[in-house]
Amino acid sequence: MENKKYIIYGAGKQGQAYLDFLKQKNLDSVIIGFCDKRYDVIKQILGKAVFSYEEAKEQDVQFIVAVGDEKAKNEIIQMFEADDVRYCSMDAYANAAGIDRVKFNREFCAVFHIDNMDEYFNSAESDSAIKLFWDNTSEFKKLFVKLDLKNVIELACGRVLLHHSNHDVDYRAAFHNTPHGRSFMSKSIFAYLAYRAGFEVLEQKVIDWEGYTGLDCITLLQKPIESESAR
């Protein structure tokens, strides 16, 4: 494990989620504080000081960028590079710390999304969101109803290789309580659904994933070839 120290740039929801996740994994000692434009208002979060950018630079440590807006993030990175300031992302931190990067990212995503699930539901169920996405005249709905396995096959020129869950232990499976967030599915159920949708199952191979035996399955599907007489 490395001994470097970091400052999280961004004291908003994402930055706080980063620190909270690191606390859960007993890794928060590497974080000496936050940096945010609102440093004089916020002052402290979860026991960590909030610095101005100039104060943070004086600490001579690396920044972890925790800003969700892509435009704002790019502007911050440009500022860092202009000032010759060291920075990284959360997954780059995991890599430098010798932590399994894939597992680290997956666990963070699970914690972040579960913690914010109520907010997501409230937002998705608001009248404005329902009208925007699910009104019969919305472009989203027009495209959504077309998004099915048949279109995947068409785009794949007749054949497609799909990596899916083979976790059929519990029909109540949810992202937060199954190995690596796997949904309820099996090799046989997937083949049946593909067959009912009018596709040919060419091959299926059950595979292990991250220490779990037979957790996933690779399925090769094909769009049935029409005979000349049927055209």
Side-chain angles (χ1 to χ4, degrees):
M1 182 68 68
E2 62 164 5
N3 294 316
K4 291 181 180 178
K5 299 294 183 179
Y6 297 84
I7 288 176
I8 297 174
Y9 191 99
K13 181 187 294 183
Q14 189 164 328
Q16 293 179 47
Y18 279 7
L19 180 60
D20 188 53
F21 177 66
L22 292 172
K23 276 181 175 286
Q24 291 182 36
K25 299 186 75 64
N26 295 317
L27 296 171
D28 57 301
S29 61
V30 301
I31 305 298
I32 67 171
F34 290 89
C35 177
D36 197 281
K37 291 180 179 179
R38 302 162 296 160
Y39 69 95
D40 56 338
V41 176
I42 304 172
K43 297 184 179 178
Q44 192 178 80
I45 292 178
L46 301 173
K48 303 287 185 179
V50 181
F51 302 104
S52 69
Y53 180 53
E54 293 304 320
E55 290 173 331
K57 283 195 297 182
E58 291 175 1
Q59 304 297 320
D60 193 29
V61 298
Q62 197 165 5
F63 287 86
I64 295 176
V65 184
V67 178
D69 182 83
E70 284 301 315
K71 183 180 178 183
K73 183 189 290 184
N74 289 334
E75 290 174 352
I76 291 163
I77 288 173
Q78 288 173 10
M79 177 179 70
F80 286 161
E81 292 177 347
D83 293 344
D84 196 26
V85 169
R86 293 169 295 147
Y87 67 92
C88 68
S89 59
M90 270 283 269
D91 60 339
Y93 156 72
N95 201 44
I99 303 168
D100 185 317
R101 191 166 170 170
V102 173
K103 184 178 180 182
F104 186 82
N105 276 342
R106 187 181 295 121
E107 289 178 354
F108 172 71
C109 287
V111 169
F112 183 79
H113 290 296
I114 290 166
D115 285 348
N116 291 279
M117 199 60 73
D118 287 341
E119 184 178 330
Y120 292 154
F121 284 145
N122 291 336
S123 177
E125 293 170 0
S126 67
D127 290 341
S128 58
I130 290 172
K131 185 173 182 180
L132 176 65
F133 293 108
W134 301 111
D135 186 86
N136 287 329
T137 61
S138 79
E139 291 301 314
F140 175 84
K141 185 170 182 181
K142 290 176 185 176
L143 293 172
F144 184 83
V145 296
K146 296 178 182 178
L147 185 63
D148 59 20
L149 203 53
K150 295 179 182 178
N151 290 322
V152 174
I153 302 296
E154 291 289 350
L155 291 171
C157 301
R159 282 191 179 186
V160 66
L161 192 68
L162 297 169
H163 181 168
H164 59 87
S165 170
N166 186 49
H167 182 71
D168 60 353
V169 175
D170 186 351
Y171 67 88
R172 297 164 297 184
F175 184 85
H176 66 282
N177 64 9
T178 60
H180 301 297
R182 293 304 189 261
S183 59
F184 176 71
M185 180 52 66
S186 73
K187 170 184 173 182
S188 299
I189 293 172
F190 193 90
Y192 172 72
L193 294 173
Y195 165 74
R196 288 296 301 268
F199 303 109
E200 206 178 324
V201 180
L202 297 181
E203 188 176 348
Q204 289 187 290
K205 182 178 180 180
V206 173
I207 61 171
D208 300 339
W209 189 263
E210 295 284 330
Y212 288 87
T213 303
L215 184 63
D216 289 358
C217 180
I218 304 292
T219 297
L220 179 63
L221 299 179
Q222 176 176 278
K223 177 184 175 184
I225 300 172
E226 297 180 7
S227 63
E228 291 296 326
S229 59
R231 292 177 182 172

